[in-house]
Structures are given as structure tokens and as C-alpha cells.
Amino acid sequence: MKARAAALDDADPLAALRDRFALPAGVVYLDGNSLGALPRHVPDRVAFAVKTEWGEHLITAWNRDGWVDLPVRTGERIAALIGAAPGTVRVTDSTSVNLFKVLSAALSLKGNRATVVSDSGNFPTDLYVAHGLERAHPGVALKVVAPEDVAAAVDDGVDVLMLTEVDYRTGRRHDMAALTAKAHERGALVIWDLAHSAGALAVDLEGVRADFAVGCGYKFLNGGPGAPAFYYIAERHQAAVEPLLAGWFGHAAPFAFETAFRPAEGADRLRVGTPPVLSMVALDAALDIFDGLDMDAVQAKGRALTDFFIACVDPFAAELGLELATPRDGAARGSHVSLRHEQAYPVMQALIAAGVIGDMRAPDILRFGFAPLYVRFSDVLSAAGTLETILRQESWDRPEFHARKAVT
């Protein structure tokens, strides 16, 4: 396997990108699906925004340094990575807030009388948001089915289909094209959460004719902790969308300070408040690394990394109590692999102590994210070897590894 890893690294067309990230020596970082690594040039860009733009230019920086345009400019850059048309993506707020905005918009297009279908593999916050809107609108009902039952649930009774493309626990990937097409055949609108897709997969929102989408900036897009999120509104819906959560930056004339809300043209109408400039500057700078990248090549490397990890773990998995929770079919998974183990929490703590950073999801999932821009095949081999050693030696069975801490 060592020779194979070396050969794969030598043939990797994205290998040079790793040097653009500030990765700690001696650490194998496999949690970029929770928090992307720091691009080396971002601290200087943020420092300039703080010291010069804010410190010297003060309020004039909104126009002089283009702060006011950041939600649009950064949105257009993300649009290019997710197959979205110009003018359809804006960066602002959190994923949860953006989901509230697009789901309420979809419901308004259905007259606020709708059955919303989602699945139990969706990120819990997405379901919380949907339940909140269900409580607010007596005519709205949320139906949650098992992930494998989604296709069957897309019947004549569905009005809005709300799914996360890649399951945050197992890495299972929904067939976006097929499910969107089936929903549209039944007159339903479709919302996709791209939290574990954007920056790792070749998403084609326009090609599949998605209606709405949301996603975060801090995972595979490497925008930093709590980076702003994004939303997508297909151009065909923009004129009809009436924001439930309305704010001055979504107004047609924000600096007219009118007491009555008039929605802006296009995707801007779902903007709300003042953008978080410093965190948006960090995200905008991080996106430089994607300039000129072919997302098909990014996805291909992610699939190769996950294939290789599964191949490295397979020889000892059953013997040492591991079960693959992620689909073996590369087309049916995102860029992370999950393994079930009854002692997942202490095992992951032992891995982190040994320099392999992944994460776990209750109750029994060890989760390993493979960010294609900076993870090497040699990292994959090292991680698998460390996992095997910890399990064989049962070095996870120490009091400090059992002590529960916050796991992101």
C-alpha cells in the first residue's frame, strides 16, 4: 500500500495545492468536512482589512474597499463552483438562516399550504427550521422519511422536497438530478443543502434545474470558523419570491430608509442585515484557491481518496469491530467516510492524540473527511495504519479518552 500511495500522490494533478494551506507538521487532518484548513494567504488579507481598511479607511472602506459588494462578489465566485448562473447566489448569514429564508420562500410560492418532504439523514437544524415553519403555518406539514425511502416518498402529495445532498453522518449522497426531476414531474419545488458538497463535489444546480439551495462557507470552502453561508435562488423564481424575513440590505433602495419594504431585484431580495465584513473577507480570500480549478477533477480526487481509505481499512475492519457506514459505490457518497465502532468516542480521541484528526457522530460513527485540495494519499495510509494500531492495542481504553468533551 505504501508504494500505491506514493504513486497516487505522484500522479495527483492537485498535489501542488497542498502547499497553499497552513497545515501543522505531524498532523493528518481529516476533518475538513467540519472546518476547512487555513489557506496561507488568508491571515494577511484579513490583517489588511483590519489594519488598513477598517483602521485607516474607516467608514469609507464600504465603497473604497468594496465591502458593500462582498455578498454579491463572493456569491458569484461560489456560483461558479456549484453550477449556478450569475446573479443567483449571495453570501450572507448562516446556513440555518438562509434555509429559513429559502424554505419560507418556497412555501409562499405554494400559498403556505404544502407538504414538505425531508429525510432522517438530514442535518437536524434543517429539520428544526422546517418544524418552526410548520408551527407558524397551519397549512404546512413536514414529512420525514428514511433516506432510502425518499424516492418513493416523492409522490403526488409532495409540494416541497428539502434534502441535504450528502448525509453529514454516513456520507451517503442523494442523486440530485433524479430526485429533482421526479419532484418537478409532480409539481414540487426542491431545496438542496450543499453543506458537504460545495468545494468537494461537482454540483450542477442549473443543469438539474434546482429551485433553491443553501450551503456553508467553513467546510470544504475553507472560509474559517463560522464563515458566512450562501443561498441560491433559480432565476425563474426570483421575481415571485416575497421574503418572510425582510431586512434593509434586501430592500430595493436600502439607503432610502423607507418604512415600507420593497424587495430588491433578483437574488438580493433575500438579503437581510449588514454583512459580517471580516469573516466575509476571509471567505473571499480563501476562494482564491479555487480559481481555475475543474470541480470534476476535485470530485475525482475526493472519490479516489475515499476509495483508497476504504481499501486500506478493509483488511482489518471486521476483525477489529469496524463496520463501513458509507456506501462503497463512489458515485453514491461524498468526500467523507464513516466507520461504525461501539467505542467511537474514545477511539477518535485516541486518534486525535496520535495526530490523526477526524471526528465522531453519536452514537457510534467515526468520521473521516478527505478534502481534495490538501489531503494526500500518504495521509490516508497513515491514518488507516494509526487506526489499526489503536484498535489492536486497545490504546483507546484510557480514562482521558472516555471523558466526554464537545465534539464539533
Side-chain angles (χ1 to χ4, degrees):
M1 283 292 196
K2 187 174 181 180
R4 183 179 171 191
L8 288 168
D9 280 332
D10 287 343
D12 176 14
L14 305 180
L17 294 175
R18 178 182 171 86
D19 290 337
R20 299 185 65 179
F21 290 88
L23 293 161
V27 170
V28 174
Y29 189 58
L30 301 181
D31 207 7
N33 54 324
S34 282
L35 175 65
L38 172 67
R40 291 184 185 277
H41 67 287
V42 168
D44 287 343
R45 177 66 187 89
V46 173
F48 183 83
V50 171
K51 294 178 181 178
T52 302
E53 295 176 1
W54 178 15
E56 298 177 16
H57 301 167
L58 297 169
I59 195 70
T60 69
W62 282 100
N63 291 311
R64 179 174 177 176
D65 298 300
W67 289 357
V68 73
D69 299 322
L70 276 169
V72 175
R73 187 168 70 246
T74 311
E76 297 295 355
R77 301 183 77 181
I78 292 176
L81 304 179
I82 58 175
T88 60
V89 177
R90 294 293 181 262
V91 172
T92 181
D93 301 315
S94 68
T95 309
S96 302
V97 172
N98 285 334
L99 180 64
F100 176 89
K101 291 188 289 188
V102 300
L103 179 55
S104 62
L107 293 176
S108 72
L109 293 176
K110 292 293 183 178
N112 290 323
R113 299 193 63 83
T115 296
V116 180
V117 170
S118 190
D119 71 56
S120 56
N122 210 339
F123 193 66
T125 290
D126 291 21
L127 300 179
Y128 303 160
V129 169
H131 277 303
L133 285 165
E134 181 183 34
R135 291 193 301 271
H137 297 291
V140 172
L142 174 64
K143 178 181 178 182
V144 179
V145 301
E148 59 272 19
D149 295 333
V150 168
V154 180
D155 55 24
D156 292 335
V158 63
D159 300 290
V160 178
L161 180 62
M162 181 189 75
L163 298 171
T164 296
E165 185 186 17
V166 176
D167 188 307
Y168 75 104
R169 288 176 299 186
T170 67
R172 171 205 38 79
R173 184 183 185 187
H174 278 305
D175 187 332
M176 184 184 289
L179 289 174
T180 302
K182 187 174 183 182
H184 284 171
E185 287 171 3
R186 284 149 180 81
L189 297 169
V190 185
I191 300 169
W192 287 101
D193 185 332
L194 304 177
H196 287 275
S197 306
L201 302 180
V203 180
D204 186 10
L205 292 178
E206 296 293 327
V208 304
R209 288 187 57 78
D211 299 291
F212 302 93
V214 296
C216 72
Y218 55 80
K219 298 182 189 295
F220 291 111
L221 295 179
N222 311 301
F230 63 88
Y231 64 79
Y232 162 86
I233 314 174
E235 187 175 5
R236 63 187 179 276
H237 296 308
Q238 290 177 2
V241 165
E242 292 290 339
L244 179 60
L245 185 63
W248 74 306
F249 266 90
H251 195 283
F255 292 96
F257 302 111
E258 299 171 4
T259 55
F261 182 75
R262 289 188 295 117
E265 295 293 324
D268 284 324
R269 62 181 50 202
L270 287 192
R271 291 174 61 183
V272 182
T274 306
V277 169
L278 298 181
S279 56
M280 202 166 286
V281 164
L283 173 60
D284 185 48
L287 292 172
D288 291 348
I289 293 179
F290 287 92
D291 288 346
L293 281 187
D294 179 354
M295 290 307 299
D296 286 320
V298 173
Q299 176 175 289
K301 182 181 175 183
R303 185 174 300 180
L305 288 166
T306 53
D307 280 341
F308 188 53
F309 182 70
I310 293 170
C312 289
V313 170
D314 268 346
F316 62 84
E319 176 190 356
L320 299 179
L322 293 171
E323 177 189 351
L324 182 65
T326 302
R328 285 190 177 274
D329 178 5
R333 66 170 178 263
S335 205
H336 72 263
V337 173
S338 295
L339 304 169
R340 296 189 186 278
H341 191 276
E342 63 179 3
Q343 297 293 340
Y345 183 85
V347 168
M348 183 52 68
Q349 296 308 303
L351 279 165
I352 292 171
V356 177
I357 300 179
D359 62 19
M360 67 85 60
R361 288 294 178 260
D364 60 354
I365 284 181
L366 296 161
R367 195 175 71 158
F368 302 90
F370 300 91
L373 304 192
Y374 52 80
V375 174
R376 301 171 299 193
F377 292 91
S378 57
D379 296 327
V380 174
L381 181 62
S382 176
T386 303
L387 175 61
E388 181 179 12
T389 297
I390 286 171
L391 292 176
R392 287 197 184 281
Q393 297 179 353
E394 296 188 353
S395 57
W396 52 266
D397 196 11
R398 291 161 51 179
E400 63 267 33
F401 295 149
H402 286 272
R404 289 278 171 170
K405 308 170 188 174
V407 179
T408 57

